[in-house]
Amino acid sequence: AMLPVIAGAAAQAALAAIGVANVRLKWPNDILVDGRKLAGLIVYARHGATNWVTVGLGVNLDTTPVIKDRDALPSTSVSEHVDSGTPDSWKQDIACHFVDELSKMLDNPASAIETWQGLLLQRPGDTVSIRLASGQMVTGTLVGLSDEGFLRIDENGTERVISGGDIIET
């Protein structure tokens, strides 16, 4: 359950390795630089006779997409933050560093989780609004994270655990 958290820490380390500074994480899967979205993570798992998981990291390398959705974060790209290299070299370097860092962090998940929490934009005590998959908006005070990496919020005096959604406001 903590794989998205560990992958976020690994992605930050991979981006830092090629010179991208000021990387922060927006729960649950956005990677930001200076408040603009640089990358995103997706983790897909299948449980059954054979268990497997896929971790995907998408990074804006050379172009900065313009997204018309009013709730979407403004975008950025590696080319806006790194002075040397090319999109092809960044792609290869990010992929290699990401796989290497993810492998190391899986061996030491406690350290990766601590790193991830230090990179998280949202802090306990912050007011957050989350759009759930149903479209429902939930607003409350961030209490922290569960052991699984889910948001724990205080919603009018009642703690609520949110396993998925998109933070709209912080």
Side-chain angles (χ1 to χ4, degrees):
M2 291 303 290
L3 190 54
V5 170
I6 294 167
Q12 182 275 333
L15 291 164
I18 66 158
V20 180
N22 302 319
V23 172
R24 300 294 301 271
L25 304 174
K26 178 179 165 270
W27 183 90
N29 59 356
D30 291 336
I31 300 167
L32 311 179
V33 176
D34 300 327
R36 297 168 63 203
K37 186 170 179 177
L38 175 68
L41 288 160
I42 188 164
V43 176
Y44 182 76
R46 181 168 180 163
H47 304 282
T50 301
N51 296 324
W52 55 267
V53 65
T54 301
V55 178
L57 171 62
V59 181
N60 298 329
L61 294 173
D62 194 31
T63 58
T64 303
V66 176
I67 301 171
K68 305 268 188 224
D69 179 353
R70 62 183 167 85
D71 290 332
L73 290 168
S75 304
T76 189
S77 64
V78 171
S79 65
E80 294 182 36
H81 300 281
V82 177
D83 294 329
S84 62
T86 65
D88 284 338
S89 68
W90 299 328
K91 178 173 49 179
Q92 183 174 345
D93 291 346
I94 291 168
C96 291
H97 286 295
F98 180 65
V99 170
D100 186 48
E101 290 295 331
L102 185 59
S103 178
K104 288 179 197 173
M105 290 180 179
L106 287 169
D107 288 338
N108 187 4
S111 178
I113 292 164
E114 185 177 324
T115 297
W116 182 83
Q117 288 177 325
L119 296 167
L120 195 60
L121 285 173
Q122 300 81 24
R123 300 280 181 219
D126 288 352
T127 299
V128 293
S129 293
I130 303 111
R131 181 183 299 124
L132 305 179
S134 67
Q136 175 189 4
M137 291 294 290
V138 175
T139 299
T141 303
L142 181 62
V143 174
L145 299 171
S146 72
D147 290 342
E148 297 85 14
F150 302 153
L151 279 186
R152 295 174 37 233
I153 65 167
D154 180 318
E155 186 181 29
N156 300 319
T158 302
E159 185 171 305
R160 182 171 179 173
V161 176
I162 299 177
S163 61
D166 189 31
I167 292 181
I168 302 302
E169 302 172 12
T170 57

